[in-house]
């Protein structure tokens, strides 16, 4: 990052570099994109203006996200495992997704929670279950899981909240794995908060990668102005970008990630 800050660049590229730094885009990714713009500038005999260079940056950021967009819950998915550290907004996000699936796609939804270490977490999910009128099962051991799946067999979609407690707790990791009976039609989502540091998000994803993660959900986009960490995480981990949440309101504050919007957030609205 220090090298990137110190590097001499042609003037229009300096302001783009500063924008990437402000947005906390990693030095590696920034260098990668800037090199392409520098090369184009050189090839043009230094004729490209700042608008054209902005467009080159945007093209790259957009291509990067387009390759990694994963959409929401797939129509044939039956079980969704939701993992992530405590406090990122997992329970709230599960309630938002449940409402989306119930009201927009008319699917019969059920909840399973294994987050029995915190009574408040179970109660919180139970509250959403009763508001949304969806059945909920609590599991404490792999045997319970079989029973819970049996009880919820009429549901089209089961959302399973996993114990977030402490992602460093290896015991929990193996315990969770024993709960995961990976079937063909399951998806595993990692929930991360945009209020975390970029390096911490990558470390959390490293720990949770034991669960064969498919997609990532970013919460609390309303609480930050820097969106580079989304790009950094997707650069470091082979995950598909799914939902984003932008507030505490259930069910409204849920969005499907969209590459144009993310490029606007990262680079400013530079579309002509
Ligand atoms: P969990 O421990 O991961 O299950 O997290 P919770 O669902 O209990 O959420 C923790 C806090 O974050 C609650 O106060 C939520 O209202 C809040 N929260 C969740 N999503 C968002 C969001 O998108 N934006 C903001 N500002 N707050 C959120």
């Amino acid at each position: 990052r220090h090298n990137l800050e110190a590097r001499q660049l042609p003037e229009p590229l300096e302001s783009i570099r500063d924008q990437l730094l402000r947005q906390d885009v990693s030095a590696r990714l920034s260098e990668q994109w800037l090199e392409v713009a520098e090369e184009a500038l050189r090839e043009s005999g230094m004729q490209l203006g700042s608008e054209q260079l902005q467009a080159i940056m945007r093209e790259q950021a957009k291509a990067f996200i387009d390759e990694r967009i994963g959409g929401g819950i797939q129509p044939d998915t039956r079980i969704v495992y939701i993992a992530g550290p405590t406090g990122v907004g997992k329970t709230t996000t599960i309630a938002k997704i449940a409402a989306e699936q119930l009201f927009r796609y008319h699917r019969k939804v059920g909840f399973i929670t294994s987050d029995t270490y915190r009574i408040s977490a179970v109660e919180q999910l139970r509250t959403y279950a009763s508001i949304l009128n969806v059945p909920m099962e609590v599991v404490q051991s792999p045997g319970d899981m079989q029973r819970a799946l049996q009880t919820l067999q009429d549901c089209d979609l089961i959302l399973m909240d996993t114990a977030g407690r402490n992602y460093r707790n290896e015991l929990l990791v193996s315990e969770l794995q024993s709960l995961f009976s990976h079937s063909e039609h399951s998806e595993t989502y990692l929930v991360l908060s945009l209020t975390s540091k970029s390096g911490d998000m990558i470390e959390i994803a490293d720990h949770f990668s034991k669960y064969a993660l498919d997609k990532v959900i970013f919460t609390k986009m309303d609480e930050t102005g820097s969106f580079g960490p989304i790009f950094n995480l997707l650069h470091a981990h082979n995950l598909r970008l799914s939902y984003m949440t932008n507030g505490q309101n259930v069910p409204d504050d849920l969005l499907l990630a969209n590459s144009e919007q993310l490029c606007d957030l990262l680079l400013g609205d530079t579309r002509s």
Side-chain angles (χ1 to χ4, degrees):
R1 184 175 166 110
H2 184 72
N3 288 345
L4 178 64
E5 277 172 41
R7 199 142 83 77
Q8 283 285 331
L9 287 166
E11 224 236 25
L13 281 179
E14 282 203 344
S15 69
I16 293 175
R17 185 242 342 250
D18 294 345
Q19 172 74 7
L20 296 175
L21 284 168
R22 270 198 303 279
Q23 286 289 321
D24 282 332
V25 180
S26 72
R28 259 181 64 210
L29 196 53
S30 302
E31 288 283 7
Q32 200 174 305
W33 292 346
L34 282 165
E35 267 168 32
V36 172
E38 254 186 306
E39 179 65 25
L41 183 60
R42 232 177 289 122
E43 274 176 13
S44 75
M46 308 308 272
Q47 293 305 304
L48 294 181
S50 103
E51 261 177 40
Q52 287 153 308
L53 291 168
Q54 283 275 6
I56 290 171
M57 295 308 283
R58 190 185 174 94
E59 237 169 64
Q60 294 186 84
K62 184 163 183 307
F64 179 93
I65 289 293
D66 280 341
E67 269 179 24
R68 291 166 175 85
I69 286 268
I73 289 168
Q74 299 303 297
D76 63 348
T77 295
R78 175 103 207 293
I79 304 181
V80 172
Y81 299 101
I82 310 229
T86 298
V88 292
K90 263 188 311 156
T91 309
T92 314
T93 304
I94 288 172
K96 292 173 183 174
I97 292 175
E100 178 210 44
Q101 295 292 315
L102 274 167
F103 303 128
R104 185 176 302 172
Y105 300 109
H106 310 291
R107 303 184 73 188
K108 195 166 182 300
V109 178
F111 288 155
I112 296 181
T113 181
S114 64
D115 197 351
T116 53
Y117 302 99
R118 291 182 308 144
I119 292 172
S120 60
V122 176
E123 287 317 311
Q124 197 190 342
L125 193 64
R126 208 186 289 288
T127 304
Y128 286 124
S130 79
I131 294 169
L132 296 167
N133 196 25
V134 307
M136 171 171 139
E137 292 294 313
V138 178
V139 298
Q140 305 203 42
S141 70
D144 288 352
M145 183 72 180
Q146 295 307 327
R147 182 192 43 76
L149 290 175
Q150 198 81 42
T151 313
L152 299 177
Q153 62 183 340
D154 289 345
C155 293
D156 305 317
L157 177 71
I158 294 167
L159 300 177
M160 178 167 172
D161 183 8
T162 63
R165 248 193 349 164
N166 181 349
Y167 72 91
R168 290 174 196 280
N169 185 335
E170 295 299 321
L171 192 71
L172 177 72
V173 172
S174 54
E175 189 182 319
L176 266 171
Q177 264 174 338
S178 69
L179 288 179
F180 278 30
S181 56
H182 268 290
S183 74
E184 229 181 304
H185 300 297
S186 74
E187 292 185 72
T188 303
Y189 287 70
L190 174 65
V191 183
L192 294 172
S193 164
L194 284 172
T195 58
S196 311
K197 289 191 196 130
S198 197
D200 290 344
M201 287 187 208
I202 290 170
E203 197 188 322
I204 293 165
D206 286 342
H207 280 264
F208 280 101
S209 61
K210 297 174 180 117
Y211 304 147
L213 301 169
D214 299 302
K215 294 181 181 171
V216 58
I217 295 171
F218 287 100
T219 61
K220 310 196 187 186
M221 65 185 294
D222 54 308
E223 290 194 3
T224 186
S226 64
F227 299 94
I230 297 173
F231 292 74
N232 302 343
L233 184 98
L234 296 172
H235 197 214
H237 279 276
N238 185 21
L239 292 173
R240 308 270 132 197
L241 176 58
S242 183
Y243 298 97
M244 317 259 298
T245 75
N246 60 347
Q248 295 181 294
N249 295 320
V250 178
D252 294 340
D253 298 333
L254 180 75
L255 313 165
L256 266 182
N258 160 307
S259 60
E260 294 288 2
Q261 186 197 15
L262 276 170
C263 291
D264 288 348
L265 292 169
L266 192 78
L267 300 168
D269 186 354
T270 51
R271 280 172 290 178
S272 46

